[in-house]
């Protein structure tokens, strides 16, 4: 009887682990386990058995990829090494998108190319219920083309946080109680693209792409998605037991808050909240703090 009792408990534990694995996705071993190419498959090359990829931009095409599943809440991360040297006019993007038109939700990292020797700029943007125009720009405090760095988006019921090497650079709180839209109803896929945008990307379009420097390369590895895939168990997206919904992730801790203020004071170069030409009245979400 004791042996049977023991085996039954082992079976129950295994079933619980299986149920959890179906509910919460984690990092794949290779690119193709969780992602597929969306355009120009000749410009995405697998490296190290698919554990890393190279994105290519030339005069013929850029390229892009997307996760095979959509997710509702969680954390997505990738290590990216950006285009070295003269990358003016190029944009490397890592973002989440609901793939809906008029009411789309979207969370953007956009890495704006530069002329050699100038800081790389990362632009973040948020669309909630179809309304975007929430751009902020930060000059990175390191050379993101010299090595891989970790870029992450945390999305839960409380806030959205953009991280660079675990340093928060952007926080968007859930202030639905104040009538401010917050993306929480639409699942989003995980996307990335490398493309030409020299009409706006570098100094507002003043710096054009130099095709003599092409092809341009960006590299990705350590793809990590931890979230609730949709369709999936209905209980997953609302479960308070998901680690990203835990009390430690509902607000920045003291160390993160200090790092966040350091970024905002020393590295922020544009904030739609303070752009009076675009927003004579400060948007209500800008007054929410962190």
């Amino acid at each position: 009887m004791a042996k049977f009792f023991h085996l039954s408990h082992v079976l129950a534990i295994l079933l619980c682990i299986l149920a959890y694995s179906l509910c919460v996705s984690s990092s794949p071993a290779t690119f193709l386990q969780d992602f597929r190419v969306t355009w120009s498959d000749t410009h995405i090359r697998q490296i190290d058995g698919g554990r890393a990829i190279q994105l290519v931009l030339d005069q013929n095409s850029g390229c892009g990829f997307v996760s095979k599943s959509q997710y509702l809440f969680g954390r997505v991360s990738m290590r990216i090494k950006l285009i070295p040297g003269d990358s003016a006019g190029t944009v490397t993007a890592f973002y989440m998108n609901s793939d809906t038109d008029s009411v789309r939700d979207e969370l953007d990292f956009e890495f704006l190319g530069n002329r050699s020797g100038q800081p790389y700029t990362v632009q973040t943007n948020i669309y909630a219920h179809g309304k975007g125009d929430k751009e902020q720009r930060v000059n990175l405090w390191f050379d993101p083309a010299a090595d891989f760095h970790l870029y992450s988006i945390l999305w839960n019921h409380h806030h959205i946080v953009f991280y660079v090497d675990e340093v928060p650079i952007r926080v968007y709180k859930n202030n639905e109680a104040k009538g401010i839209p917050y993306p929480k109803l639409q699942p989003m896929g995980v996307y990335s693209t490398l493309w030409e945008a020299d009409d706006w990307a570098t100094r507002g379009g003043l710096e054009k792409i130099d095709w003599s420097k092409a092809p341009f390369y960006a590299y990705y590895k350590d793809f990590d998605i931890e979230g609730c895939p949709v369709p999936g168990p209905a209980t997953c997206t609302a479960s308070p037991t998901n680690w990203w919904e835990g009390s430690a992730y509902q607000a920045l801790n003291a160390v993160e808050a200090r790092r966040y203020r350091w970024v905002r004071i020393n590295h922020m170069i544009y904030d739609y909240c303070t752009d009076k030409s675009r927003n004579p009245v400060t948007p209500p979400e800008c007054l929410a703090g962190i």
Side-chain angles (χ1 to χ4, degrees), residues 127-196:
Y127 284 77
H129 303 185
K131 180 67 170 68
D133 300 325
K134 300 178 179 66
E135 300 91 347
Q136 294 182 352
R137 293 185 180 184
V138 169
N139 277 344
L140 294 173
W141 51 95
F142 52 84
D143 181 357
D147 202 352
F148 286 92
H149 290 267
L150 183 67
Y151 304 94
S152 309
I153 301 171
L154 173 72
W155 172 33
N156 61 30
H157 284 81
H158 304 275
H159 61 183
I160 296 158
V161 186
F162 293 80
Y163 290 93
V164 175
D165 289 335
E166 303 296 351
V167 175
I169 67 166
R170 175 88 183 259
V171 178
Y172 185 85
K173 292 184 66 174
N174 183 345
N175 278 289
E176 287 184 305
K178 299 178 181 178
I180 298 169
Y182 186 81
K184 72 170 192 179
L185 300 177
Q186 299 188 100
M188 291 191 260
V190 182
Y191 291 78
S192 187
T193 54
L194 174 58
W195 51 294
E196 172 198 355

Side-chain angles (χ1 to χ4, degrees), residues 20-27 34 69-77 96 153-155 188 190 224-233 236-237 242-245:
Y20 180 82
S21 67
L22 290 173
C23 177
V24 180
S25 295
S26 59
S27 57
D34 271 6
S69 298
Q70 290 188 314
Y71 302 87
L72 192 54
F73 303 113
R75 177 177 169 128
V76 298
S77 300
M96 301 187 72
I153 301 171
L154 173 72
W155 172 33
M188 291 191 260
V190 182
D224 188 6
I225 302 175
E226 296 181 80
C228 292
V230 177
C236 182
T237 58
N242 294 328
W243 70 260
W244 54 85
E245 299 288 357

Side-chain angles (χ1 to χ4, degrees), residues 61-110:
S61 182
C63 55
F65 63 87
V66 65
S67 58
K68 293 178 180 177
S69 298
Q70 290 188 314
Y71 302 87
L72 192 54
F73 303 113
R75 177 177 169 128
V76 298
S77 300
M78 296 183 188
R79 292 191 185 275
I80 305 173
K81 183 162 69 171
L82 296 173
I83 300 166
D86 187 345
S87 56
T90 70
V91 174
T92 308
F94 161 42
Y95 60 104
M96 301 187 72
N97 189 301
S98 62
D99 197 24
T100 49
D101 294 327
S102 60
V103 292
R104 87 176 188 265
D105 293 330
E106 186 170 310
L107 312 174
D108 294 335
F109 268 118
E110 293 177 306

